[in-house]
Amino acid sequence: MRPTLVAEWASSTSLFRSRKACRIYSACAARSSDPAWFVFVVLVGLKQSAMAGTVISVAFASPSVSPATRECHKVPFEVSKSEINSSGVGRHVLGRGGGSPFRIGKKYSGRVTMTVATNVSRFEGVTMAPPDPILGVTEAFKADTNELKLNLGVGAYRTEELQPYVLRVVKKAETLLLEKGENKEYLPIEGLAAFNKATAELLLGADNPVIKEGRVATVQGLSGTGSLRLAAAFIQRYFPEAKALISSPSWGNHKNIFNDARVPWSEYRYYDPRTIGLDFEGMIADVKAAPDGSFVLLHGCAHNPTGIDPTPEQWEKIADVIQEKNHIPFFDVAYQGFASGNLDTDASSVRSFVSRGLEVLVAQSYSKNLGLYAERIGAINVVCASPDAATRVKSQLKRLARPMYSNPPIHGARIVANVVGNPELFNEWKAEMELMAGRIKNVRQALYDSLSEKDKSGKDWSFILRQIGMFSFTGLNKVQSENMTNKWHVYMTKDGRISLAGLSLAKCEYLTDAIIDSFHNVS
Ligand code: PLA
């Protein structure tokens, strides 16, 4: 196959308008395994001050070209415009109708393409992305034909028969919706008004003064993930200097979300493997050490993946430090009602921060507590100091949403609005949620009992009982987790997390054998 070369960089294109800023950062020649093809590669960078913000990537149609290139792209040297023009490289790579992309005032797209040969896909250089560490586990599970297999990867509630579950109250709400025969016109950018009202009230309490005073900007989002992403885009636009702080460990997608939104982040200590508990001192020290005005991402309840939440007293101390440091708390509430079985108890961390008068961001999800996974229903709430600020913030969230997805889907929003807004359905939901949370608590207990009975090593497994929510963070390392999957067909994330929502009482013993084997026989 004939090689095609594509060199591109991402950076502020306006920098290229300054001739002085131009620098050939690295140049190299590579010979592919086919001697007929000799390819010059020129990577164009910026002067050193700008290099940090410059991403350069080079893609090759022929994989054989790239290793040689890697070896020779190390020596930076300067080349003037005329040198570019006088070299073959310049003509081929940069020449565009005789002009240079670096001419002052010329707007240039930041992409250089040199086609050395034809008949090759323009996407040859697109590399294979790795499978998602969580959703990829489900794909692997589906491909496994062993009948003992068990999917404890994704946090999705299953019945005792290990079947997906649609809540009865959801079915009822859907029947009501069908009877009403409502239309499918576009929602406004901010989503369904009845949903936005219901979701803010569910989170903060209907009689919370911040709601009454109109200080909450609520925008319907594409479930928890989409709401977090919208907030991250907002942070990037309005707080370009700010950093996000993420717990270590955290739900894996948090890092992706901030990376994609180009919000720099760092981690704060959270989990202490020695105590299999919260590293509270470490957390406080790291939150204190972060630059003032950072966005501190907190799991409102049922911390994923550890299942370890701060106590109410610890939450107060965390709030003290956040307030002292002028940080902005950013809650991810993906499991309201699933930690304790009670919606209000699980919102108490958020409510206590709000009652201090703090401005707070809160992303919500109805994937788990209403089982609306695929409906993609959630919200981003920004509690502001004044109604005026809330109005402006909301207008900007809408402005960010419009070019991304225009407006959100209606079906899930109607279900939530109907369930929360109808006292009878609301009570049924609470009862069903208690049932779901109760089933998880039962298997948690059963797993602990079984491990304590079968494991003769004297290891203390009581940490499993202290964890809450859907997950248990087993302490199994990557290799041990791989053994769980490869030998026992137990699918789980490689950080040692198991979703107890995917476990039945009947499977506890099998899981116990798998854990004991992996823990003691695999280093
Ligand atoms: N925030 C946290 C802490 C989560 O655990 C999840 C889902 C979300 C947000 C987003 O969920 P949503 O977009 O569906 O509302 N975490 C799952 C699924 C349950 C996943 O990874 O997407 C998990 O297995 O960790």
Side-chain angles (χ1 to χ4, degrees):
M1 190 184 283
R2 294 173 169 194
T4 294
L5 173 82
V6 179
E8 64 183 314
W9 64 89
S11 69
S12 162
T13 54
S14 63
L15 288 166
F16 285 89
R17 288 185 194 146
S18 159
R19 193 177 303 177
K20 281 191 193 144
C22 299
R23 172 186 288 238
I24 296 298
Y25 181 69
S26 160
C28 62
R31 187 183 287 275
S32 79
S33 58
D34 176 352
W37 293 99
F38 188 75
V39 182
F40 273 104
V41 182
V42 178
L43 301 179
V44 183
L46 302 171
K47 71 178 174 187
Q48 259 119 1
S49 63
M51 279 310 293
T54 305
V55 179
I56 302 174
S57 67
V58 185
F60 302 91
S62 164
S64 59
V65 176
S66 45
T69 313
R70 257 186 241 123
E71 279 161 29
C72 64
H73 78 279
K74 288 169 195 153
V75 193
F77 63 95
E78 282 189 68
V79 186
S80 70
K81 190 179 154 215
S82 61
E83 282 176 285
I84 295 170
N85 285 343
S86 63
S87 75
V89 173
R91 272 199 309 278
H92 282 299
V93 178
L94 302 172
R96 253 242 211 120
S100 160
F102 306 122
R103 198 182 298 141
I104 293 170
K106 176 156 180 156
K107 200 169 184 312
Y108 191 70
S109 69
R111 182 183 171 89
V112 174
T113 305
M114 180 175 78
T115 305
V116 182
T118 51
N119 293 341
V120 72
S121 167
R122 298 299 299 275
F123 306 113
E124 285 293 333
V126 178
T127 55
M128 192 67 190
D132 183 81
I134 298 177
L135 299 184
V137 172
T138 303
E139 288 171 33
F141 171 80
K142 283 183 181 158
D144 189 337
T145 51
N146 192 298
E147 57 185 29
L148 290 170
K149 69 179 180 175
L150 194 54
N151 188 4
L152 307 183
V154 71
Y157 182 81
R158 297 279 182 273
T159 61
E160 190 56 33
E161 293 72 41
L162 299 184
Q163 292 308 306
Y165 181 60
V166 181
L167 274 74
R168 281 197 309 277
V169 75
V170 167
K171 286 184 183 158
K172 278 193 188 172
E174 284 182 319
T175 310
L176 286 174
L177 289 177
L178 265 181
E179 281 167 6
K180 278 195 202 161
E182 284 173 304
N183 67 47
K184 303 271 186 201
E185 295 250 315
Y186 290 130
L187 277 179
I189 304 171
E190 72 260 40
L192 187 72
F195 165 80
N196 286 346
K197 180 176 183 299
T199 198
E201 290 182 357
L202 193 79
L203 176 72
L204 300 165
D207 50 5
N208 197 310
V210 292
I211 295 182
K212 292 198 172 137
E213 291 159 14
R215 293 203 274 125
V216 192
T218 303
V219 169
Q220 184 186 329
L222 303 182
S223 210
T225 308
S227 306
L228 288 162
R229 182 65 178 81
L230 192 58
F234 177 78
I235 293 170
Q236 193 272 335
R237 185 162 292 180
Y238 286 95
F239 302 84
E241 305 298 322
K243 186 174 166 184
L245 287 185
I246 306 176
S247 65
S248 173
S250 195
W251 176 49
N253 219 16
H254 282 147
K255 292 177 184 173
N256 298 335
I257 287 167
F258 287 119
N259 282 343
D260 279 9
R262 294 174 195 275
V263 175
W265 53 267
S266 64
E267 293 180 302
Y268 60 84
R269 279 169 280 173
Y270 191 84
Y271 174 72
D272 184 348
R274 283 166 304 143
T275 59
I276 321 190
L278 180 65
D279 180 358
F280 185 63
E281 303 306 319
M283 176 180 184
I284 292 291
D286 291 348
V287 173
K288 264 191 189 161
D292 286 23
S294 295
F295 285 80
V296 185
L297 190 73
L298 301 159
H299 297 224
C301 64
H303 184 272
N304 179 6
T306 64
I308 301 159
D309 284 354
T311 63
E313 296 72 39
Q314 287 172 329
W315 274 122
E316 290 302 325
K317 290 215 174 105
I318 295 165
D320 286 344
V321 177
I322 285 180
Q323 210 159 0
E324 247 169 66
K325 291 285 298 182
N326 225 2
H327 292 329
I328 303 175
F330 181 0
F331 280 95
D332 181 359
V333 178
Y335 300 94
Q336 191 181 352
F338 244 89
S340 66
N342 182 294
L343 285 161
D344 293 318
T345 310
D346 288 357
S348 56
S349 56
V350 174
R351 290 179 193 178
S352 77
F353 276 55
V354 169
S355 69
R356 288 173 167 243
L358 286 171
E359 294 191 297
V360 177
L361 274 71
V362 193
Q364 288 172 283
S365 163
Y366 289 92
S367 292
K368 275 71 70 173
N369 55 10
L370 255 178
L372 293 176
Y373 307 92
E375 296 295 354
R376 311 311 296 145
I377 178 67
I380 179 72
N381 303 268
V382 186
V383 180
C384 303
S386 70
D388 180 49
T391 309
R392 282 181 281 110
V393 167
K394 186 166 178 170
S395 75
Q396 292 298 344
L397 288 171
K398 286 164 64 176
R399 190 183 184 188
L400 285 161
R402 171 66 168 144
M404 269 203 255
Y405 57 85
S406 192
N407 48 74
I410 201 163
H411 190 66
R414 280 182 175 150
I415 295 172
V416 177
N418 275 278
V419 170
V420 179
N422 174 325
E424 199 185 312
L425 292 186
F426 189 47
N427 284 334
E428 272 191 46
W429 177 35
K430 288 198 278 192
E432 249 182 309
M433 201 153 37
E434 264 176 46
L435 242 135
M436 290 193 287
R439 196 190 83 72
I440 297 172
K441 280 185 193 153
N442 283 349
V443 287
R444 193 182 279 289
Q445 181 70 49
L447 180 64
Y448 165 75
D449 291 344
S450 171
L451 276 164
S452 306
E453 192 194 309
K454 286 194 142 193
D455 182 12
K456 305 293 178 211
S457 74
K459 181 177 162 58
D460 179 9
W461 294 96
S462 62
F463 66 87
I464 293 178
L465 295 180
R466 291 195 295 276
Q467 298 169 342
I468 56 169
M470 272 194 162
F471 303 107
S472 179
F473 205 46
T474 59
L476 293 171
N477 63 29
K478 186 168 177 280
V479 187
Q480 292 166 334
S481 302
E482 276 163 3
N483 184 65
M484 296 281 286
T485 306
N486 299 341
K487 180 170 169 190
W488 293 88
H489 306 272
V490 174
Y491 287 79
M492 58 187 286
T493 53
K494 300 287 172 273
D495 56 1
R497 184 191 86 168
I498 53 174
S499 168
L500 296 177
L503 179 66
S504 62
L505 290 174
K507 287 278 189 180
C508 275
E509 211 178 312
Y510 179 74
L511 180 62
T512 300
D513 292 339
I515 292 176
I516 292 175
D517 172 55
S518 305
F519 194 81
H520 293 298
N521 302 332
V522 180
S523 63

